Amino acid sequence: VLVAQLVLRRISSIFFGHECHDFVDVCSVANVSVLFLDEPYHGYYIHGKAPSSRGDWCHSEMSKVLYDEDKGLGLTRGLTPDGCQTFELYLPPDLSVSVAGSPPAHLRQSLCQIFGGVNATLLQMASRRPTQPEPMDIAEMSQHRCRVQALMDALVHAVMRKASEVVQTRAVINWFW
């Protein structure tokens, strides 16, 4: 029964599409990359690079850009020469990232420091009455978000520069399921 369900699901996805593929397409058209970590050092990455390098389009402009992409004009979506947009990640525990203008930083320690700051800001907000955020709280949370964004951008750009060295292609049989 289980095998029949898997085969039926795979065959139906050929004709009707698959939710994961639709999500990857939306991320790409919106120019949004997504990092999912299901374990401390393992996860998945969607390289949402819009073919136009922009994510904000009206319907008619988007239609033209997608038409041009279909004809082979413009930028490619993927991170690798074959256009792959989805990746499984295995991060080393001692991964360091070089953010512009600063020495290399240990990714895990940097993220722990940032999220410690997020928790401190949240505790500070919760200790006040009323518990509404003040403009300073919003500015602090924005700074935390920008620091995480800078780390992730540095990581992705480092991988993009060395994609041929650090990205491994899966065998064809692994793409079936």
Side-chain angles (χ1 to χ4, degrees):
V1 174
L2 181 62
V3 173
Q5 286 180 343
L6 289 173
V7 170
L8 183 62
R9 181 177 289 179
R10 175 63 180 151
I11 291 171
S12 68
S13 71
I14 292 170
F15 295 108
F16 301 112
H18 193 277
E19 297 88 8
C20 290
H21 295 157
D22 294 342
F23 181 68
V24 170
D25 284 341
V26 167
C27 289
S28 179
V29 171
N31 207 26
V32 173
S33 296
V34 181
L35 176 66
F36 300 98
L37 292 175
D38 60 349
E39 295 286 334
Y41 302 107
H42 177 265
Y44 301 91
Y45 173 67
I46 298 173
H47 187 68
K49 180 181 175 188
S52 61
S53 74
R54 277 182 40 194
D56 51 344
W57 293 97
C58 69
H59 182 267
S60 58
E61 290 175 329
M62 186 184 308
S63 177
K64 182 187 180 324
V65 168
L66 293 174
Y67 177 80
D68 289 347
E69 180 190 18
D70 187 47
K71 297 299 179 197
L73 305 172
L75 302 171
T76 60
R77 289 189 185 197
L79 180 61
T80 58
D82 64 351
C84 186
Q85 296 175 274
T86 57
F87 304 92
E88 185 174 11
L89 299 173
Y90 296 96
L91 301 173
D94 59 346
L95 179 67
S96 293
V97 178
S98 296
V99 179
S102 63
H106 189 270
L107 181 69
R108 191 167 177 86
Q109 289 175 349
S110 298
L111 287 174
C112 286
Q113 289 173 348
I114 293 168
F115 290 122
V118 168
N119 286 334
T121 303
L122 291 173
L123 285 172
Q124 183 180 22
M125 288 176 8
S127 67
R128 288 194 302 255
R129 297 287 176 237
T131 59
Q132 297 294 323
E134 295 178 356
M136 190 63 181
D137 300 325
I138 296 169
E140 284 180 25
M141 293 302 262
S142 179
Q143 287 177 342
H144 298 313
R145 185 201 61 80
C146 288
R147 289 180 59 204
V148 170
Q149 183 69 44
L151 279 173
M152 293 299 109
D153 285 347
L155 177 63
V156 169
H157 287 110
V159 170
M160 288 172 65
R161 283 190 301 273
K162 298 180 180 182
S164 62
E165 299 172 20
V166 297
V167 176
Q168 296 177 359
T169 306
R170 285 187 172 189
V172 175
I173 191 68
N174 292 334
W175 288 109
F176 182 73
W177 298 106

